[in-house]
Short mmCIF file of all heavy atoms in Angstrom, two decimals:
data_model
loop_
_atom_site.label_atom_id
_atom_site.label_comp_id
_atom_site.label_asym_id
_atom_site.label_seq_id
_atom_site.Cartn_x
_atom_site.Cartn_y
_atom_site.Cartn_z
N MET A 1 9.79 24.09 2.18
CA MET A 1 8.66 23.20 2.33
C MET A 1 8.84 22.02 1.38
O MET A 1 9.24 22.18 0.24
CB MET A 1 7.36 23.93 2.03
CG MET A 1 6.16 23.05 2.24
SD MET A 1 4.66 23.93 2.61
CE MET A 1 4.04 24.31 1.02
N LEU A 2 8.53 20.83 1.86
CA LEU A 2 8.68 19.60 1.10
C LEU A 2 7.46 19.39 0.20
O LEU A 2 6.32 19.42 0.66
CB LEU A 2 8.84 18.42 2.05
CG LEU A 2 9.04 17.07 1.42
CD1 LEU A 2 10.36 17.04 0.65
CD2 LEU A 2 9.05 15.99 2.48
N THR A 3 7.72 19.18 -1.08
CA THR A 3 6.65 18.92 -2.03
C THR A 3 6.62 17.43 -2.31
O THR A 3 7.64 16.83 -2.66
CB THR A 3 6.89 19.69 -3.34
OG1 THR A 3 7.00 21.07 -3.05
CG2 THR A 3 5.76 19.45 -4.31
N LEU A 4 5.46 16.81 -2.13
CA LEU A 4 5.32 15.39 -2.39
C LEU A 4 5.16 15.12 -3.87
O LEU A 4 4.43 15.84 -4.57
CB LEU A 4 4.11 14.83 -1.64
CG LEU A 4 4.18 14.86 -0.11
CD1 LEU A 4 2.88 14.34 0.47
CD2 LEU A 4 5.35 14.06 0.40
N THR A 5 5.83 14.08 -4.34
CA THR A 5 5.69 13.67 -5.73
C THR A 5 4.43 12.83 -5.88
O THR A 5 3.81 12.44 -4.89
CB THR A 5 6.92 12.86 -6.18
OG1 THR A 5 6.99 11.68 -5.38
CG2 THR A 5 8.20 13.66 -6.03
N ALA A 6 4.09 12.53 -7.11
CA ALA A 6 2.89 11.72 -7.37
C ALA A 6 3.02 10.34 -6.73
O ALA A 6 2.06 9.81 -6.17
CB ALA A 6 2.67 11.58 -8.87
N ILE A 7 4.21 9.77 -6.78
CA ILE A 7 4.41 8.45 -6.18
C ILE A 7 4.26 8.51 -4.66
O ILE A 7 3.68 7.62 -4.06
CB ILE A 7 5.77 7.84 -6.60
CG1 ILE A 7 5.82 6.36 -6.21
CG2 ILE A 7 6.93 8.59 -6.00
CD1 ILE A 7 7.00 5.61 -6.78
N ASP A 8 4.74 9.58 -4.05
CA ASP A 8 4.59 9.75 -2.59
C ASP A 8 3.13 9.90 -2.21
O ASP A 8 2.67 9.30 -1.23
CB ASP A 8 5.37 10.97 -2.11
CG ASP A 8 6.87 10.81 -2.22
OD1 ASP A 8 7.35 9.66 -2.11
OD2 ASP A 8 7.55 11.83 -2.42
N GLN A 9 2.40 10.68 -2.98
CA GLN A 9 0.98 10.88 -2.70
C GLN A 9 0.21 9.58 -2.84
O GLN A 9 -0.63 9.24 -2.00
CB GLN A 9 0.41 11.96 -3.62
CG GLN A 9 0.94 13.34 -3.34
CD GLN A 9 0.48 14.36 -4.37
OE1 GLN A 9 -0.06 14.00 -5.41
NE2 GLN A 9 0.70 15.63 -4.07
N SER A 10 0.49 8.84 -3.90
CA SER A 10 -0.19 7.55 -4.12
C SER A 10 0.14 6.57 -3.01
O SER A 10 -0.74 5.87 -2.49
CB SER A 10 0.22 6.95 -5.46
OG SER A 10 -0.20 7.76 -6.52
N TYR A 11 1.41 6.51 -2.64
CA TYR A 11 1.86 5.61 -1.57
C TYR A 11 1.13 5.94 -0.27
O TYR A 11 0.61 5.05 0.40
CB TYR A 11 3.37 5.74 -1.40
CG TYR A 11 3.91 5.01 -0.20
CD1 TYR A 11 4.10 3.64 -0.22
CD2 TYR A 11 4.23 5.71 0.96
CE1 TYR A 11 4.58 2.97 0.90
CE2 TYR A 11 4.72 5.05 2.08
CZ TYR A 11 4.89 3.68 2.04
OH TYR A 11 5.37 3.02 3.15
N ASN A 12 1.08 7.21 0.08
CA ASN A 12 0.41 7.63 1.33
C ASN A 12 -1.08 7.30 1.31
O ASN A 12 -1.64 6.90 2.34
CB ASN A 12 0.63 9.13 1.57
CG ASN A 12 2.05 9.44 1.96
OD1 ASN A 12 2.77 8.60 2.48
ND2 ASN A 12 2.48 10.67 1.69
N LYS A 13 -1.72 7.42 0.15
CA LYS A 13 -3.15 7.08 0.04
C LYS A 13 -3.37 5.58 0.22
O LYS A 13 -4.33 5.17 0.88
CB LYS A 13 -3.70 7.54 -1.31
CG LYS A 13 -3.87 9.04 -1.40
CD LYS A 13 -4.38 9.45 -2.75
CE LYS A 13 -4.44 10.96 -2.86
NZ LYS A 13 -4.88 11.41 -4.19
N VAL A 14 -2.49 4.76 -0.36
CA VAL A 14 -2.64 3.31 -0.22
C VAL A 14 -2.42 2.91 1.23
O VAL A 14 -3.18 2.10 1.78
CB VAL A 14 -1.68 2.56 -1.17
CG1 VAL A 14 -1.73 1.06 -0.92
CG2 VAL A 14 -2.02 2.85 -2.62
N ILE A 15 -1.41 3.47 1.88
CA ILE A 15 -1.15 3.18 3.30
C ILE A 15 -2.35 3.57 4.15
O ILE A 15 -2.79 2.81 5.02
CB ILE A 15 0.14 3.88 3.80
CG1 ILE A 15 1.38 3.25 3.17
CG2 ILE A 15 0.23 3.86 5.31
CD1 ILE A 15 1.72 1.86 3.65
N ALA A 16 -2.90 4.76 3.91
CA ALA A 16 -4.06 5.21 4.67
C ALA A 16 -5.26 4.29 4.46
O ALA A 16 -6.00 3.99 5.41
CB ALA A 16 -4.42 6.64 4.27
N THR A 17 -5.44 3.83 3.24
CA THR A 17 -6.55 2.91 2.94
C THR A 17 -6.37 1.60 3.68
O THR A 17 -7.32 1.07 4.27
CB THR A 17 -6.64 2.66 1.42
OG1 THR A 17 -6.86 3.90 0.76
CG2 THR A 17 -7.76 1.70 1.10
N ILE A 18 -5.15 1.05 3.65
CA ILE A 18 -4.88 -0.20 4.34
C ILE A 18 -5.17 -0.06 5.83
O ILE A 18 -5.84 -0.91 6.43
CB ILE A 18 -3.41 -0.65 4.13
CG1 ILE A 18 -3.17 -1.02 2.67
CG2 ILE A 18 -3.06 -1.82 5.04
CD1 ILE A 18 -1.71 -1.23 2.32
N LYS A 19 -4.68 1.01 6.44
CA LYS A 19 -4.85 1.20 7.87
C LYS A 19 -6.30 1.43 8.28
O LYS A 19 -6.67 1.18 9.42
CB LYS A 19 -3.98 2.36 8.36
CG LYS A 19 -2.50 2.02 8.34
CD LYS A 19 -1.67 3.15 8.87
CE LYS A 19 -0.20 2.75 8.92
NZ LYS A 19 0.65 3.82 9.46
N SER A 20 -7.14 1.86 7.34
CA SER A 20 -8.54 2.12 7.67
C SER A 20 -9.41 0.87 7.53
O SER A 20 -10.57 0.88 7.93
CB SER A 20 -9.10 3.22 6.77
OG SER A 20 -9.24 2.77 5.44
N CYS A 21 -8.87 -0.21 6.99
CA CYS A 21 -9.65 -1.43 6.77
C CYS A 21 -10.00 -2.11 8.10
O CYS A 21 -9.17 -2.24 8.98
CB CYS A 21 -8.87 -2.41 5.90
SG CYS A 21 -8.67 -1.86 4.20
N LYS A 22 -11.25 -2.55 8.19
CA LYS A 22 -11.74 -3.22 9.39
C LYS A 22 -12.19 -4.65 9.11
O LYS A 22 -12.38 -5.42 10.04
CB LYS A 22 -12.93 -2.45 9.99
CG LYS A 22 -12.61 -1.01 10.32
CD LYS A 22 -11.58 -0.90 11.42
CE LYS A 22 -11.33 0.57 11.73
NZ LYS A 22 -10.02 0.81 12.29
N THR A 23 -12.38 -5.01 7.83
CA THR A 23 -12.84 -6.35 7.49
C THR A 23 -11.92 -6.97 6.44
O THR A 23 -11.16 -6.26 5.77
CB THR A 23 -14.27 -6.33 6.92
OG1 THR A 23 -14.26 -5.65 5.66
CG2 THR A 23 -15.24 -5.67 7.87
N LYS A 24 -12.02 -8.28 6.29
CA LYS A 24 -11.22 -8.96 5.29
C LYS A 24 -11.61 -8.55 3.88
O LYS A 24 -10.76 -8.48 2.99
CB LYS A 24 -11.34 -10.48 5.46
CG LYS A 24 -10.64 -11.00 6.69
CD LYS A 24 -10.71 -12.50 6.76
CE LYS A 24 -10.01 -13.01 8.01
NZ LYS A 24 -10.01 -14.47 8.09
N THR A 25 -12.88 -8.26 3.67
CA THR A 25 -13.33 -7.82 2.36
C THR A 25 -12.68 -6.49 1.98
O THR A 25 -12.23 -6.30 0.85
CB THR A 25 -14.86 -7.67 2.33
OG1 THR A 25 -15.45 -8.91 2.73
CG2 THR A 25 -15.36 -7.29 0.95
N GLN A 26 -12.61 -5.58 2.94
CA GLN A 26 -11.95 -4.30 2.70
C GLN A 26 -10.46 -4.51 2.43
O GLN A 26 -9.89 -3.84 1.57
CB GLN A 26 -12.14 -3.38 3.91
CG GLN A 26 -13.56 -2.89 4.09
CD GLN A 26 -13.74 -2.12 5.38
OE1 GLN A 26 -13.00 -2.30 6.34
NE2 GLN A 26 -14.76 -1.27 5.41
N LEU A 27 -9.87 -5.45 3.14
CA LEU A 27 -8.45 -5.73 2.93
C LEU A 27 -8.18 -6.33 1.56
O LEU A 27 -7.12 -6.09 0.98
CB LEU A 27 -7.92 -6.66 4.03
CG LEU A 27 -7.66 -5.97 5.36
CD1 LEU A 27 -7.41 -7.00 6.45
CD2 LEU A 27 -6.49 -5.02 5.26
N LYS A 28 -9.13 -7.08 1.02
CA LYS A 28 -8.97 -7.60 -0.34
C LYS A 28 -8.92 -6.46 -1.34
O LYS A 28 -8.13 -6.47 -2.27
CB LYS A 28 -10.10 -8.57 -0.68
CG LYS A 28 -9.98 -9.90 0.00
CD LYS A 28 -11.11 -10.83 -0.41
CE LYS A 28 -11.03 -12.14 0.36
NZ LYS A 28 -12.11 -13.05 0.01
N GLY A 29 -9.77 -5.46 -1.13
CA GLY A 29 -9.74 -4.27 -1.98
C GLY A 29 -8.43 -3.52 -1.84
O GLY A 29 -7.86 -3.06 -2.83
N ALA A 30 -7.94 -3.41 -0.61
CA ALA A 30 -6.66 -2.73 -0.37
C ALA A 30 -5.52 -3.51 -1.01
O ALA A 30 -4.57 -2.92 -1.53
CB ALA A 30 -6.43 -2.57 1.12
N SER A 31 -5.63 -4.82 -1.00
CA SER A 31 -4.61 -5.66 -1.63
C SER A 31 -4.55 -5.40 -3.14
O SER A 31 -3.47 -5.35 -3.73
CB SER A 31 -4.92 -7.14 -1.36
OG SER A 31 -3.99 -7.96 -1.98
N GLU A 32 -5.71 -5.21 -3.74
CA GLU A 32 -5.76 -4.86 -5.17
C GLU A 32 -5.13 -3.49 -5.42
O GLU A 32 -4.46 -3.29 -6.43
CB GLU A 32 -7.20 -4.89 -5.69
CG GLU A 32 -7.77 -6.28 -5.81
CD GLU A 32 -7.00 -7.15 -6.79
OE1 GLU A 32 -6.65 -6.67 -7.89
OE2 GLU A 32 -6.75 -8.31 -6.45
N MET A 33 -5.34 -2.57 -4.49
CA MET A 33 -4.70 -1.25 -4.62
C MET A 33 -3.18 -1.39 -4.60
O MET A 33 -2.48 -0.71 -5.35
CB MET A 33 -5.15 -0.32 -3.50
CG MET A 33 -6.55 0.20 -3.63
SD MET A 33 -7.00 1.32 -2.29
CE MET A 33 -6.03 2.75 -2.73
N VAL A 34 -2.68 -2.25 -3.72
CA VAL A 34 -1.23 -2.48 -3.64
C VAL A 34 -0.72 -3.06 -4.95
O VAL A 34 0.31 -2.61 -5.48
CB VAL A 34 -0.89 -3.42 -2.45
CG1 VAL A 34 0.56 -3.86 -2.51
CG2 VAL A 34 -1.19 -2.74 -1.13
N LYS A 35 -1.44 -4.03 -5.50
CA LYS A 35 -1.04 -4.62 -6.79
C LYS A 35 -1.02 -3.56 -7.89
O LYS A 35 -0.10 -3.50 -8.70
CB LYS A 35 -1.98 -5.75 -7.18
CG LYS A 35 -1.82 -6.99 -6.37
CD LYS A 35 -2.82 -8.05 -6.82
CE LYS A 35 -2.82 -9.23 -5.87
NZ LYS A 35 -3.86 -10.22 -6.22
N ASN A 36 -2.06 -2.72 -7.93
CA ASN A 36 -2.12 -1.66 -8.94
C ASN A 36 -0.99 -0.66 -8.76
O ASN A 36 -0.41 -0.20 -9.75
CB ASN A 36 -3.47 -0.95 -8.88
CG ASN A 36 -4.59 -1.81 -9.37
OD1 ASN A 36 -4.39 -2.76 -10.12
ND2 ASN A 36 -5.81 -1.49 -8.95
N PHE A 37 -0.68 -0.30 -7.52
CA PHE A 37 0.41 0.62 -7.24
C PHE A 37 1.73 0.06 -7.79
O PHE A 37 2.47 0.75 -8.48
CB PHE A 37 0.53 0.87 -5.73
CG PHE A 37 1.68 1.75 -5.34
CD1 PHE A 37 1.52 3.12 -5.27
CD2 PHE A 37 2.93 1.22 -5.04
CE1 PHE A 37 2.57 3.95 -4.91
CE2 PHE A 37 3.99 2.03 -4.68
CZ PHE A 37 3.81 3.40 -4.62
N LYS A 38 1.99 -1.21 -7.47
CA LYS A 38 3.24 -1.84 -7.92
C LYS A 38 3.29 -1.92 -9.44
O LYS A 38 4.33 -1.65 -10.05
CB LYS A 38 3.38 -3.23 -7.32
CG LYS A 38 3.64 -3.21 -5.84
CD LYS A 38 3.73 -4.62 -5.30
CE LYS A 38 3.95 -4.65 -3.82
NZ LYS A 38 4.03 -6.02 -3.30
N PHE A 39 2.18 -2.27 -10.08
CA PHE A 39 2.14 -2.37 -11.53
C PHE A 39 2.38 -1.01 -12.17
O PHE A 39 3.16 -0.89 -13.12
CB PHE A 39 0.79 -2.94 -11.98
CG PHE A 39 0.65 -3.00 -13.47
CD1 PHE A 39 1.27 -4.00 -14.19
CD2 PHE A 39 -0.11 -2.06 -14.14
CE1 PHE A 39 1.15 -4.06 -15.58
CE2 PHE A 39 -0.23 -2.09 -15.52
CZ PHE A 39 0.39 -3.10 -16.24
N LEU A 40 1.71 0.00 -11.66
CA LEU A 40 1.81 1.34 -12.25
C LEU A 40 3.21 1.92 -12.10
O LEU A 40 3.77 2.44 -13.07
CB LEU A 40 0.79 2.27 -11.58
CG LEU A 40 0.76 3.71 -12.07
CD1 LEU A 40 0.33 3.76 -13.52
CD2 LEU A 40 -0.19 4.53 -11.21
N TYR A 41 3.78 1.83 -10.91
CA TYR A 41 5.06 2.49 -10.66
C TYR A 41 6.27 1.62 -10.98
O TYR A 41 7.40 2.09 -10.96
CB TYR A 41 5.11 3.01 -9.23
CG TYR A 41 4.20 4.21 -9.07
CD1 TYR A 41 3.02 4.11 -8.35
CD2 TYR A 41 4.50 5.41 -9.68
CE1 TYR A 41 2.17 5.20 -8.23
CE2 TYR A 41 3.67 6.51 -9.57
CZ TYR A 41 2.50 6.39 -8.84
OH TYR A 41 1.66 7.46 -8.74
N ARG A 42 6.06 0.35 -11.29
CA ARG A 42 7.17 -0.52 -11.68
C ARG A 42 7.80 0.00 -12.98
O ARG A 42 9.01 -0.05 -13.16
CB ARG A 42 6.69 -1.95 -11.89
CG ARG A 42 7.79 -2.91 -12.28
CD ARG A 42 7.29 -4.33 -12.37
NE ARG A 42 6.87 -4.77 -11.04
CZ ARG A 42 5.76 -5.45 -10.79
NH1 ARG A 42 4.96 -5.79 -11.78
NH2 ARG A 42 5.45 -5.81 -9.57
N LYS A 43 6.97 0.52 -13.87
CA LYS A 43 7.45 1.00 -15.16
C LYS A 43 8.32 2.24 -15.03
O LYS A 43 9.23 2.43 -15.81
CB LYS A 43 6.27 1.27 -16.09
CG LYS A 43 5.53 0.00 -16.46
CD LYS A 43 4.42 0.25 -17.43
CE LYS A 43 3.73 -1.05 -17.75
NZ LYS A 43 2.73 -0.92 -18.77
N VAL A 44 8.03 3.09 -14.06
CA VAL A 44 8.82 4.31 -13.89
C VAL A 44 9.94 4.12 -12.87
O VAL A 44 10.83 4.96 -12.76
CB VAL A 44 7.95 5.52 -13.46
CG1 VAL A 44 6.97 5.86 -14.55
CG2 VAL A 44 7.26 5.27 -12.14
N GLY A 45 9.86 3.03 -12.14
CA GLY A 45 10.87 2.75 -11.12
C GLY A 45 10.49 3.42 -9.80
O GLY A 45 10.11 4.58 -9.77
N TYR A 46 10.58 2.66 -8.74
CA TYR A 46 10.29 3.19 -7.42
C TYR A 46 11.15 2.44 -6.42
O TYR A 46 11.57 1.31 -6.68
CB TYR A 46 8.81 3.07 -7.06
CG TYR A 46 8.30 1.66 -6.94
CD1 TYR A 46 8.24 1.02 -5.70
CD2 TYR A 46 7.87 0.95 -8.05
CE1 TYR A 46 7.78 -0.27 -5.57
CE2 TYR A 46 7.41 -0.35 -7.93
CZ TYR A 46 7.37 -0.95 -6.70
OH TYR A 46 6.91 -2.23 -6.58
N PRO A 47 11.46 3.06 -5.30
CA PRO A 47 12.29 2.38 -4.29
C PRO A 47 11.62 1.10 -3.80
O PRO A 47 10.42 1.08 -3.52
CB PRO A 47 12.41 3.40 -3.16
CG PRO A 47 12.07 4.71 -3.78
CD PRO A 47 11.12 4.42 -4.91
N LYS A 48 12.37 0.02 -3.70
CA LYS A 48 11.84 -1.27 -3.27
C LYS A 48 11.32 -1.22 -1.83
O LYS A 48 10.47 -2.00 -1.45
CB LYS A 48 12.90 -2.37 -3.39
CG LYS A 48 13.34 -2.62 -4.80
CD LYS A 48 12.21 -3.23 -5.61
CE LYS A 48 12.67 -3.49 -7.02
NZ LYS A 48 11.60 -3.87 -7.89
N ILE A 49 11.80 -0.27 -1.05
CA ILE A 49 11.34 -0.14 0.33
C ILE A 49 9.85 0.19 0.38
O ILE A 49 9.15 -0.22 1.31
CB ILE A 49 12.18 0.90 1.12
CG1 ILE A 49 11.87 0.84 2.61
CG2 ILE A 49 11.95 2.30 0.60
CD1 ILE A 49 12.39 -0.37 3.30
N LEU A 50 9.35 0.88 -0.62
CA LEU A 50 7.91 1.20 -0.66
C LEU A 50 7.10 -0.09 -0.81
O LEU A 50 6.09 -0.27 -0.14
CB LEU A 50 7.60 2.16 -1.81
CG LEU A 50 8.21 3.55 -1.74
CD1 LEU A 50 7.74 4.39 -2.91
CD2 LEU A 50 7.90 4.24 -0.43
N SER A 51 7.56 -0.98 -1.68
CA SER A 51 6.90 -2.26 -1.87
C SER A 51 6.93 -3.07 -0.58
O SER A 51 5.92 -3.65 -0.17
CB SER A 51 7.58 -3.04 -2.99
OG SER A 51 7.01 -4.31 -3.14
N TYR A 52 8.08 -3.10 0.05
CA TYR A 52 8.23 -3.82 1.32
C TYR A 52 7.29 -3.26 2.38
O TYR A 52 6.60 -4.01 3.07
CB TYR A 52 9.68 -3.73 1.79
CG TYR A 52 9.91 -4.28 3.18
CD1 TYR A 52 9.99 -5.65 3.40
CD2 TYR A 52 10.03 -3.43 4.27
CE1 TYR A 52 10.18 -6.16 4.67
CE2 TYR A 52 10.22 -3.93 5.54
CZ TYR A 52 10.30 -5.29 5.74
OH TYR A 52 10.50 -5.78 7.00
N ASN A 53 7.24 -1.94 2.51
CA ASN A 53 6.39 -1.31 3.51
C ASN A 53 4.90 -1.54 3.24
O ASN A 53 4.12 -1.73 4.18
CB ASN A 53 6.67 0.19 3.60
CG ASN A 53 7.95 0.48 4.33
OD1 ASN A 53 8.47 -0.33 5.07
ND2 ASN A 53 8.50 1.67 4.10
N LEU A 54 4.51 -1.53 1.97
CA LEU A 54 3.11 -1.81 1.63
C LEU A 54 2.74 -3.24 2.05
O LEU A 54 1.69 -3.46 2.66
CB LEU A 54 2.87 -1.61 0.14
CG LEU A 54 2.83 -0.17 -0.35
CD1 LEU A 54 2.80 -0.13 -1.88
CD2 LEU A 54 1.65 0.58 0.22
N ASN A 55 3.59 -4.19 1.72
CA ASN A 55 3.33 -5.59 2.10
C ASN A 55 3.31 -5.75 3.61
O ASN A 55 2.45 -6.45 4.15
CB ASN A 55 4.37 -6.52 1.49
CG ASN A 55 4.22 -6.66 0.00
OD1 ASN A 55 3.15 -6.44 -0.55
ND2 ASN A 55 5.31 -7.00 -0.67
N LYS A 56 4.24 -5.11 4.29
CA LYS A 56 4.32 -5.21 5.75
C LYS A 56 3.06 -4.63 6.40
O LYS A 56 2.48 -5.24 7.31
CB LYS A 56 5.57 -4.49 6.24
CG LYS A 56 5.81 -4.59 7.71
CD LYS A 56 7.10 -3.89 8.09
CE LYS A 56 7.26 -3.81 9.59
NZ LYS A 56 8.45 -3.06 9.98
N THR A 57 2.63 -3.48 5.94
CA THR A 57 1.44 -2.83 6.49
C THR A 57 0.19 -3.65 6.21
O THR A 57 -0.67 -3.82 7.09
CB THR A 57 1.28 -1.41 5.90
OG1 THR A 57 2.48 -0.67 6.15
CG2 THR A 57 0.10 -0.68 6.51
N LEU A 58 0.10 -4.21 5.01
CA LEU A 58 -1.05 -5.04 4.65
C LEU A 58 -1.10 -6.29 5.53
O LEU A 58 -2.16 -6.63 6.07
CB LEU A 58 -0.98 -5.41 3.17
CG LEU A 58 -2.19 -6.09 2.56
CD1 LEU A 58 -3.43 -5.19 2.64
CD2 LEU A 58 -1.91 -6.46 1.12
N ASN A 59 0.02 -6.95 5.70
CA ASN A 59 0.06 -8.16 6.54
C ASN A 59 -0.26 -7.84 8.00
O ASN A 59 -0.95 -8.61 8.67
CB ASN A 59 1.43 -8.84 6.43
CG ASN A 59 1.62 -9.51 5.10
OD1 ASN A 59 0.67 -9.87 4.43
ND2 ASN A 59 2.88 -9.65 4.69
N LYS A 60 0.21 -6.71 8.48
CA LYS A 60 -0.08 -6.30 9.85
C LYS A 60 -1.58 -6.06 10.03
O LYS A 60 -2.17 -6.48 11.03
CB LYS A 60 0.70 -5.02 10.19
CG LYS A 60 0.51 -4.53 11.60
CD LYS A 60 1.33 -3.29 11.84
CE LYS A 60 1.09 -2.73 13.22
NZ LYS A 60 1.84 -1.49 13.46
N GLN A 61 -2.20 -5.44 9.06
CA GLN A 61 -3.64 -5.16 9.14
C GLN A 61 -4.44 -6.45 9.05
O GLN A 61 -5.46 -6.59 9.71
CB GLN A 61 -4.05 -4.17 8.04
CG GLN A 61 -5.38 -3.50 8.31
CD GLN A 61 -5.37 -2.61 9.54
OE1 GLN A 61 -4.35 -2.08 9.96
NE2 GLN A 61 -6.53 -2.44 10.14
N TYR A 62 -3.99 -7.41 8.24
CA TYR A 62 -4.66 -8.72 8.19
C TYR A 62 -4.64 -9.36 9.58
O TYR A 62 -5.64 -9.93 10.02
CB TYR A 62 -3.97 -9.66 7.19
CG TYR A 62 -4.57 -9.65 5.81
CD1 TYR A 62 -3.84 -9.22 4.72
CD2 TYR A 62 -5.87 -10.11 5.58
CE1 TYR A 62 -4.38 -9.22 3.44
CE2 TYR A 62 -6.42 -10.13 4.31
CZ TYR A 62 -5.66 -9.69 3.25
OH TYR A 62 -6.20 -9.68 1.99
N THR A 63 -3.50 -9.27 10.26
CA THR A 63 -3.36 -9.84 11.59
C THR A 63 -4.32 -9.16 12.57
O THR A 63 -4.98 -9.82 13.37
CB THR A 63 -1.92 -9.70 12.09
OG1 THR A 63 -1.04 -10.32 11.16
CG2 THR A 63 -1.73 -10.33 13.45
N ILE A 64 -4.43 -7.85 12.49
CA ILE A 64 -5.32 -7.09 13.38
C ILE A 64 -6.78 -7.48 13.13
O ILE A 64 -7.56 -7.66 14.06
CB ILE A 64 -5.12 -5.57 13.18
CG1 ILE A 64 -3.75 -5.15 13.72
CG2 ILE A 64 -6.23 -4.78 13.85
CD1 ILE A 64 -3.34 -3.74 13.36
N CYS A 65 -7.16 -7.65 11.87
CA CYS A 65 -8.55 -7.99 11.53
C CYS A 65 -8.92 -9.40 11.94
O CYS A 65 -10.10 -9.69 12.15
CB CYS A 65 -8.80 -7.79 10.05
SG CYS A 65 -8.89 -6.06 9.58
N GLN A 66 -7.95 -10.28 12.07
CA GLN A 66 -8.24 -11.66 12.46
C GLN A 66 -8.43 -11.79 13.96
O GLN A 66 -9.00 -12.76 14.43
CB GLN A 66 -7.12 -12.59 12.00
CG GLN A 66 -7.09 -12.79 10.51
CD GLN A 66 -5.96 -13.67 10.06
OE1 GLN A 66 -5.07 -14.03 10.84
NE2 GLN A 66 -5.98 -14.05 8.80
N SER A 67 -7.96 -10.82 14.71
CA SER A 67 -8.07 -10.88 16.18
C SER A 67 -9.48 -10.66 16.64
O SER A 67 -10.28 -10.02 16.09
CB SER A 67 -7.18 -9.82 16.81
OG SER A 67 -5.85 -10.04 16.44
#
């Protein structure tokens, strides 16, 4: 069985939060979560793909909310 690390759990929570946003105000809060995630895990090191995926998901959700 696969055990998720703290960084994996945090990443999954941020992604879930982003995907649940329905308004721009909610997305601003999610954007702050992304910034906090990057700040927190930058010190311990994390794969850059996580940062890329967070930005991609956030931008995609912004596009959906503007429609």
